[in-house]
């Protein structure tokens, strides 16, 4: 197990850097995780993370890439193909590797990154 300290609180991560307890997520935790992924977060990232967190709170699981790109199309006023391209521009190492990790999801098992 790995831990990081954010706002004087120890946050537990699995060996791949995903939160053990998604309820530990905060904007400051996201900034720390984003730094480990070399992501510089703009406002667009927070729109994606807010959707992912809301979906997780409602369903108890991370949204798959289709749900996220569908919502991005709505939020950013673009078509679904453009939303998927935008997602992979924002998270060049993949949805699971970066978007799920930084938004505080447990690592989704058995998912491809596409």
């Amino acid at each position: 197990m790995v831990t990081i300290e954010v706002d004087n609180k120890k946050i537990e991560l699995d060996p791949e850097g995903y939160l053990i307890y998604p309820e530990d997520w905060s904007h400051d935790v996201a900034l720390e995780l984003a730094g480990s992924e070399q992501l510089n977060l703009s406002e667009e990232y927070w729109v994606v993370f807010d959707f992912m967190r809301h979906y997780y709170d409602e369903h108890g699981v991370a949204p798959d890439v289709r749900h996220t790109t569908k919502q991005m199309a709505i939020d950013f006023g673009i078509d679904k193909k453009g939303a998927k391209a935008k997602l992979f521009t924002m998270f060049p190492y993949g949805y699971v590797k970066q978007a799920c990790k930084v938004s505080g999801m447990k690592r989704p098992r058995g998912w491809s990154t596409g």
Side-chain angles (χ1 to χ4, degrees):
M1 179 178 50
V2 178
T3 61
I4 58 173
E5 189 167 324
V6 178
D7 297 330
N8 296 317
K9 181 180 178 186
K10 291 201 182 293
I11 307 294
E12 295 181 15
L13 307 176
D14 74 10
E16 296 175 85
Y18 295 83
L19 290 181
I20 301 273
Y21 305 105
E23 59 273 13
D24 286 341
W25 187 87
S26 69
H27 279 222
D28 288 336
V29 170
L31 290 169
E32 183 75 24
L33 296 172
S36 73
E37 291 295 324
Q38 290 79 45
L39 294 174
N40 185 13
L41 303 182
S42 66
E43 190 58 39
E44 290 180 329
Y45 286 86
W46 298 110
V47 171
V48 174
F49 297 152
D50 287 346
F51 165 74
M52 293 177 74
R53 296 298 307 178
H54 178 73
Y55 188 96
Y56 177 82
D57 289 344
E58 232 179 67
H59 302 279
V61 296
D64 68 28
V65 72
R66 291 169 302 172
H67 289 104
T68 302
T69 55
K70 181 179 178 183
Q71 187 63 44
M72 285 176 69
I74 294 165
D75 291 339
F76 299 126
I78 55 180
D79 64 23
K80 288 180 188 176
K81 186 175 180 179
K84 189 169 185 178
K86 183 174 194 62
L87 181 75
F88 287 102
T89 298
M90 292 171 69
F91 303 102
Y93 292 103
Y95 179 72
V96 170
K97 169 88 170 89
Q98 293 183 308
C100 288
K101 182 185 287 185
V102 178
S103 68
M105 305 289 112
K106 289 183 177 182
R107 187 188 193 296
R109 301 292 174 200
W111 281 10
S112 74
T113 58

